[in-house]
Amino acid sequence: MTTTPDHLAGDGSAQSAQSDEDDAVRRAAGPGESSRASRHWWDRNADEYQDEHGAFLGDDRFTWCPEGLDEADARLLGDPAALKGLDVLELGAGAAQCSRWLASRGARPVALDISFRQLQHSRRIDLGRGTEPVAVVQADAAVLPFADGSFGLACSAYGAVPFSADTAALMREVHRVLRPGARWVFSVTHPIRWAFPDEPGAEGLTATASYFDRTPYVEQDEQGHATYVEHHRTLGDRVRELTAAGFRLLDLVEPEWPEGLQQEWGGWSPLRGRLIPGTAIFVAQRG
């Protein structure tokens, strides 16, 4: 799972772990600027991210969100037996923990990430385990370097989607590389979180912004160049993007905060998790 920084690829809500030198603003940010910012941010912060969250993510677990929902239990990708021999594309794979889990079930995953440093961590894990390396590709998820109908499944755990300026185009690209009937399952920060401060305590329970404001969250340097960009879409926006691209929405999962989980992750906490959703998982099928 690559979550947004403090994702769950920063943490996965409207505010990331901002550096002392950068200003946080809400302003327009197009595809090129967003892509460059994401690549450089994750290259700079991949080491710290893997050090901090690697134990939670595991080397070969498929964890959908900070709430700890595992694919082994959720089965959002469909029948586990059907994974054997299936060509799978993971978008925003980070260190390819989810792809490694898929490979252990007999799938043939390809882990794609915009950050070269994140993919280096994938190779580090494989070398340390002495296992067959996961196939990795460095690319922007909105411009996939694959032929039409290359995959029987696509997935993303907090990767790629929140950082893309044109997610309608991203959905069309995923549709293009999938075969008819294939699933596309992805998790993102629940859109309602954009109305609240990204704080794990009581201050994060009072809405201070409009849920309907789609202006991107941008961290920028002294020259005004974006160093981190995250984009907001409402639930309705996501559904319309999926259906316009040719997908059918099968399910929208909003994981509840589990009893006994006390770990905080950026703006995720037991206090907030029991009152407002933190994650939205879209389960769609290609037409």
Side-chain angles (χ1 to χ4, degrees), residues 65-84:
C65 52
E67 291 86 352
L69 182 67
D70 273 16
E71 174 58 22
D73 301 318
R75 298 190 173 191
L76 302 181
L77 301 180
D79 181 1
L83 294 173
K84 188 173 183 178

Side-chain angles (χ1 to χ4, degrees), residues 76-78 86-89 149-155 174-185 242 246-250 283-287:
L76 302 181
L77 301 180
L86 194 64
D87 297 308
V88 183
L89 175 62
S150 295
F151 298 96
L153 174 69
C155 57
V174 174
H175 184 276
R176 179 183 65 79
V177 302
L178 285 178
R179 298 165 191 147
R183 285 196 178 194
W184 163 222
V185 187
L242 283 166
F247 289 100
R248 179 169 64 95
L249 185 64
L250 301 178
V283 183
Q285 185 176 43
R286 186 197 190 280

Side-chain angles (χ1 to χ4, degrees), residues 1-3 7-9 91-93 156-163 184 186-188:
M1 175 178 65
T2 297
T3 67
H7 276 267
L8 255 178
L91 300 178
S156 180
Y158 271 87
V161 177
F163 308 106
W184 163 222
F186 63 95
S187 61
V188 294

Side-chain angles (χ1 to χ4, degrees), residues 246-276:
F247 289 100
R248 179 169 64 95
L249 185 64
L250 301 178
D251 199 358
L252 172 57
V253 180
E254 300 165 294
E256 296 186 36
W257 193 268
E259 291 292 334
L261 180 60
Q262 298 300 317
Q263 179 174 335
E264 294 185 358
W265 185 323
W268 281 265
S269 67
L271 174 65
R272 296 182 83 202
R274 294 184 184 120
L275 296 173
I276 55 175

Side-chain angles (χ1 to χ4, degrees), residues 25 32-33 44 76 79 119 121 136 158 167 176 178 181 188 197 200 205 226 286:
V25 297
E33 184 178 31
R44 289 194 310 273
L76 302 181
D79 181 1
L119 297 178
H121 279 285
V136 299
Y158 271 87
T167 42
R176 179 183 65 79
L178 285 178
V188 294
L205 297 176
R286 186 197 190 280

